[in-house]
Amino acid sequence: MSDAPDPPDGGTGEAVAGARDILARATRVVVFTGAGVSAESGIPTFRGAGGLWKTFRPEDLATPEAFGRDPRLVWEWYAWRRSVVAGCRPNEGHLALARWTLGRGGVTLVSQNVDDLHERAARVVAPDAEAAVRAGPVKLHGSLFHDHCTRCAHRQAGGAVDATSVATLPHCPGCGGLMRPDVVWFGEMLPAGEIEAAFASAAEAEACLVIGTTGAVYPAASVVHAARSAGARVVVVDPGPTEFDEIADVKLCARAGEMVPLVVA
Ligand code: OAD
């Protein structure tokens, strides 16, 4: 008999125990998250039924060319997403990961998400601000809640956006250039420090926990393949099919908010 609660649908007790064992034995773990970890917080994913890319075209909204053509439209979309996400809260998956990262050490959290929910979870569970930063993620795709200047690269916290016209969009307090969302768009490079940190943690990980991502977007998805090539065992938590299923040592077809607290307990 185990004290662990029954697993939610999609994970047999044996598979959950196997995943827990892989994660508990590993001295170093890289956790790789995508939009699915935030689905139970009410934030839409990108692909699949109800995904953002079913309703909106990335070419119109998430490329530098789209911003060059119509910055007002792009800002309107990001301002809408900012307001949706601002009204959401970290779920049990985010909170369990933050507690685990703080409690055991040796965990690097790498996220493709721009919703800042991992950071907010870290602030909820950490005893102080310094610990909250330690439990926060390496952010491969930037943040919905920051802007940067298209002219001088000045970066600042993003506030409310009036997308009535180009003139009302946020402008740089230093050089007057047009500000843009501080997120990585299709065709752009990932931030060098972050991708370096992600691959460094993958290279030394003995286990890789992948949560809520189809694994369709590169180079981010390479972090998981790099960890696997370096010998890490791979655990995937996702209710749907992913590009990582074939390399997973354990696949748990379950929602993050229910399953993550069980496997990192
Ligand atoms: P996707 O929308 O491609 O994948 C979301 C994954 O979450 C799918 O595999 C779903 O099955 C899974 N999922 C849904 N609900 C879940 C739940 N409750 N618990 C766990 N998993 C769940 O999103 P990403 O893989 O994150 O890029 O997309 C990668 C990148 O593509 C994003 O970072 C974004 C997007 O274009 C940029 O913004 C640059």
Side-chain angles (χ1 to χ4, degrees):
M1 280 282 280
S2 142
D3 289 339
D6 288 340
D9 287 345
T12 65
E14 205 178 317
V16 176
R20 284 166 64 116
D21 189 53
I22 288 172
L23 298 172
R25 281 172 193 270
T27 311
R28 293 207 166 77
V29 182
V30 60
V31 180
F32 183 75
T33 69
V37 76
S38 299
E40 288 147 274
S41 294
I43 301 174
T45 61
F46 292 94
R47 297 169 187 83
L52 288 172
W53 297 149
K54 286 277 188 251
T55 317
F56 303 101
R57 286 165 24 107
E59 308 87 296
D60 295 338
L61 298 163
T63 66
E65 293 76 20
F67 190 73
R69 270 195 312 271
D70 194 345
R72 198 208 60 77
L73 175 73
V74 172
W75 257 122
E76 188 173 53
W77 192 65
Y78 278 93
W80 168 72
R81 284 182 61 200
R82 199 176 265 184
S83 69
V84 169
V85 173
C88 296
R89 290 197 189 150
N91 63 50
E92 291 306 318
H94 298 108
L95 293 168
L97 280 175
R99 278 190 207 101
W100 191 59
T101 303
L102 270 176
R104 59 153 276 166
V107 176
T108 303
L109 178 55
V110 176
S111 187
Q112 300 165 93
N113 296 348
V114 296
D115 58 28
D116 288 8
L117 289 186
H118 286 305
E119 290 94 316
R120 285 171 58 190
R123 287 200 291 273
V124 171
V125 305
D128 54 50
E130 200 185 305
V133 171
R134 271 204 320 277
V138 173
K139 294 170 68 77
L140 296 180
H141 290 163
S143 166
L144 262 185
F145 294 95
H146 280 85
D147 308 339
H148 76 252
C149 177
T150 51
R151 198 184 290 160
C152 74
H154 166 74
R155 186 171 179 270
Q156 64 183 28
V161 175
D162 177 353
T164 319
S165 71
V166 174
T168 64
L169 295 177
H171 283 77
C172 180
C175 76
L178 186 59
M179 301 295 283
R180 57 162 273 185
D182 193 36
V183 299
V184 175
W185 284 326
F186 288 99
E188 293 187 316
M189 305 278 280
L190 273 57
E194 277 75 2
I195 194 77
E196 205 174 294
F199 279 111
S201 64
E204 58 181 21
E206 288 147 34
C208 177
L209 172 60
V210 184
I211 307 165
T213 172
T214 47
V217 172
Y218 284 80
S222 312
V223 171
V224 176
H225 295 289
R228 165 83 176 174
S229 301
R233 302 190 71 199
V234 177
V235 174
V236 174
V237 176
D238 195 304
T242 83
E243 298 291 327
F244 305 121
D245 294 354
E246 282 190 4
I247 61 162
D249 292 274
V250 179
K251 167 77 189 278
L252 298 166
C253 289
R255 292 195 289 264
E258 293 169 352
M259 185 55 80
V260 171
L262 296 183
V263 293
V264 301

